[in-house]
Amino acid sequence: MDKTVLLCRAQSYDQALVDQQVEFLFGQLEAARELNQNSRVLLKPNLLAKHPPEAAVTTHPAVVRAVIRALKKRGVTHITLADSCGGLYNPAVMKSLYKVSGLWQVCQEEGVECYTECRYGARPAPEGRVVKEFTLIQPVLDSDFIIDLAKFKTHVMAGCTAATKNLFGCIPGLQKAEWHMRFPDKERFGDMLIDLLEIVRPRISLVDGILGLEGDGPAGGTPRQIGLLLAGEDPLTVDLAVCGLMGLDPMRVPYLAAAQRRDLCDQSLDPALLRGDTDAFCPIPGFALPQSYQGGDTDFAHHVPGLLQKPVQALERVLAPHPVVMASRCIGCGKCAEICPQHTIRLDKKAKIRQEKCIRCFCCHEMCPVKAIQVKKFSLFRL
Ligand code: SF4
Ligand code: SF4
C-alpha cells in the first residue's frame, strides 16, 4: 500500500476552491485511478452528533460535495453516504443529523443516496488480535470502495481523531458503548480499532482540516482555522501527519501505538512520505491539545514490574482526568446517560456521575449537546 500523505492548503470552504483542491488530491492518488462506473463507493463522513458545519465537529458539506464531484468525473454513479452517530441509530435520528450537518442537502442536490435505513450486519475478523467479528452498518458491507472523510480534531480519550478513529462510526449507534465496556483499557481499545481498520480498509482517507477542532474534542473543543486538506491511501500514515501538525506524540495515541506494535506504521511521520504542499507540514503554533494530553504521559502502570502494576493503576485512577457535570449548564436531556457504557450516570433533573464505576471513556462528554460535561484533572481539593 502506498503510504504517501498528500497535503494541500485551502483557507476557506469556498466551493470552487475546495473542488479544485480535492480534484488535485484525487489526481495524485493511485487508488482513485481504479474508480469507474462499476465502483460501489461509500463516503464515510464524521457525523458524531447533531452539530452544524461551523462547529467543526462533522465533515464539512463543501468537502463532501467536492469528493462527490471528483467521483462523478471518474464515471462513478453508485455513491452512498453513510455514518452512524454516537447515540441511537434509527432513521429519524440519522435524518436529523444529516440535515443539521448540511450533508442531507448536498446529497439531495448531487443526486447521491444519504443512507437512513439503519440496517447492519456481521463481518468476521479472522485475523483480529482482540476481536474476531464486528457488527457494521450495512453500506460498509455493500460497498467495494470506501472513502474515509474524516475531520481534523482532538479527542480527550485518544488524543486525536482523524482517519483511523473515524472508522469507529462504522459500528452502529449504541453498540459503540459495548466496545468501550469490553475494552475499558486504552491500549486494548486501540487494538480493537486496528482490528476494525483491518476489515474496513478504506481505499482513500481524506481529512478535512480546513477548520479543525482543538482543546477538548471531539465535540467539546474549539474550532481552529488550520487551512489544510490531507489525503492518502493509508489512514495510519495520514494520522501520523495529523499528529505532527497537532504537536502530539503519535505513540500517546492508543490506536497508533497499537498499529506500531504490529509494524503497521512508524513511531512518527517520515517527512519523505509527504507530497503536495509539503511546506505546510509543521506543528501548528499554540495548538491546544486536550487537557487529558497536556503535560507528560500519566500512563505509568505499563512501565513498572508486575507486582507494582495494581497499586500504580489505582493511583492512576485517582490522578486520571475524569468527566464532571457542570450543573448550571445541564439541560437534563439524558444523552450522556443513554451512551454511558457503565450506566453510571443518574438523571435527577440534572445528570450526576458516580465516579467509582466510570471507565473514563468520555462518551458522555462527546455526546452532551451543550458542553455541560467537562474533563477535569486531579485536584487536591477534590480528594
Ligand atoms: S460517565 Fe462518561 S466517561 Fe464515565 S463511563 Fe460513563 S460515559 Fe464513560
Ligand atoms: S450533562 Fe449534557 S448530555 Fe447529560 S443530561 Fe446534562 S445536558 Fe444532557
Side-chain angles (χ1 to χ4, degrees):
M1 186 199 317
D2 184 1
K3 296 203 170 217
T4 299
V5 180
L6 293 154
L7 269 179
C8 70
R9 293 181 211 254
Q11 291 302 337
S12 79
Y13 287 109
D14 172 76
Q15 192 65 59
L17 171 68
V18 180
D19 285 354
Q20 181 191 327
Q21 298 301 64
V22 167
E23 183 52 39
F24 163 76
L25 294 171
F26 268 63
Q28 304 291 310
L29 289 161
E30 200 65 43
R33 298 201 181 112
E34 293 167 28
L35 290 161
N36 59 53
Q37 59 186 11
N38 298 318
S39 305
R40 294 193 315 274
V41 175
L42 168 65
L43 304 180
K44 162 63 182 83
N46 186 320
L47 201 67
L48 176 70
K50 205 187 263 189
H51 295 276
E54 61 274 16
V57 173
T58 53
T59 311
H60 197 280
V63 174
V64 174
R65 192 190 294 275
V67 171
I68 293 171
R69 289 177 174 175
L71 290 170
K72 286 180 177 171
K73 266 194 184 169
R74 286 157 181 81
V76 182
T77 53
H78 194 299
I79 306 169
T80 302
L81 180 130
D83 197 9
S84 121
C85 58
L88 288 174
Y89 183 53
N90 65 45
V93 168
M94 288 311 301
K95 195 167 175 179
S96 71
L97 259 69
Y98 286 130
K99 284 192 168 172
V100 171
S101 67
L103 299 186
W104 181 266
Q105 194 183 347
V106 167
C107 290
Q108 296 289 305
E109 289 170 1
E110 296 291 334
V112 162
E113 183 194 11
C114 196
Y115 183 77
T116 54
E117 282 178 44
C118 299
R119 289 185 294 121
Y120 46 84
R123 175 170 284 176
E127 308 297 325
R129 292 271 176 96
V130 293
V131 178
K132 294 295 180 191
E133 184 178 280
F134 284 95
T135 300
L136 304 175
I137 58 172
Q138 194 62 36
V140 174
L141 305 175
D142 293 344
S143 63
D144 59 18
F145 197 108
I146 295 174
I147 302 184
D148 177 8
L149 294 178
K151 191 78 184 165
F152 186 108
K153 296 191 292 183
T154 49
H155 194 287
V156 287
M157 189 197 84
C160 89
T161 170
T164 310
K165 179 78 173 55
N166 189 36
L167 302 177
F168 195 43
C170 297
I171 292 172
L174 293 172
Q175 289 192 29
K176 295 181 193 70
E178 292 170 24
W179 290 109
H180 278 289
M181 198 157 62
R182 195 165 147 193
F183 299 112
D185 172 66
K186 281 205 252 184
E187 192 175 315
R188 299 247 306 156
F189 191 83
D191 267 316
M192 181 276 292
L193 282 178
I194 299 307
D195 284 350
L196 176 66
L197 166 66
E198 294 287 43
I199 58 152
V200 172
R201 270 292 165 201
R203 298 303 316 283
I204 292 175
S205 292
L206 193 154
V207 179
D208 166 14
I210 297 177
L211 190 65
L213 199 75
E214 64 177 354
D216 286 343
T222 309
R224 166 89 188 243
Q225 176 74 18
I226 313 284
L228 286 175
L229 291 167
L230 298 92
E233 294 178 20
D234 176 27
L236 296 166
T237 321
V238 170
D239 285 353
L240 291 179
V242 169
C243 287
L245 289 161
M246 287 182 174
L248 172 64
D249 175 2
M251 293 303 99
R252 293 186 67 194
V253 176
Y255 55 86
L256 291 175
Q260 198 276 330
R261 286 195 297 275
R262 299 186 199 185
D263 283 332
L264 295 174
C265 73
D266 291 334
Q267 294 197 353
S268 60
L269 182 76
D270 175 356
L273 293 172
L274 284 171
R275 299 282 183 280
D277 212 336
T278 54
D279 289 351
F281 185 73
C282 55
I284 300 159
F287 187 84
L289 293 177
Q291 286 190 62
S292 46
Y293 276 74
Q294 286 171 15
D297 188 353
T298 52
D299 189 8
F300 305 117
H302 296 108
H303 308 301
V304 298
L307 265 178
L308 288 175
Q309 281 193 354
K310 278 209 165 148
V312 172
Q313 275 166 351
L315 184 64
E316 273 177 13
R317 280 189 58 75
V318 177
L319 298 177
H322 52 279
V324 173
V325 178
M326 312 302 285
S328 58
R329 284 197 198 166
C330 175
I331 55 172
C333 68
K335 286 201 183 304
C336 53
E338 179 185 283
I339 189 78
C340 177
Q342 290 290 90
H343 306 292
T344 192
I345 302 179
R346 200 162 37 86
L347 214 61
D348 182 9
K349 292 190 183 144
K350 309 274 181 181
K352 291 203 172 75
I353 298 174
R354 283 169 293 166
Q355 295 289 345
E356 62 279 10
K357 278 179 68 191
C358 173
I359 56 171
R360 272 74 155 160
C361 66
F362 299 109
C363 293
C364 51
H365 172 265
E366 283 182 29
M367 296 312 292
C368 178
V370 292
K371 299 189 183 182
I373 297 186
Q374 297 196 340
V375 180
K376 295 279 182 189
K377 289 177 107 172
F378 163 77
S379 160
L380 271 178
F381 300 107
R382 273 197 292 277
L383 277 181

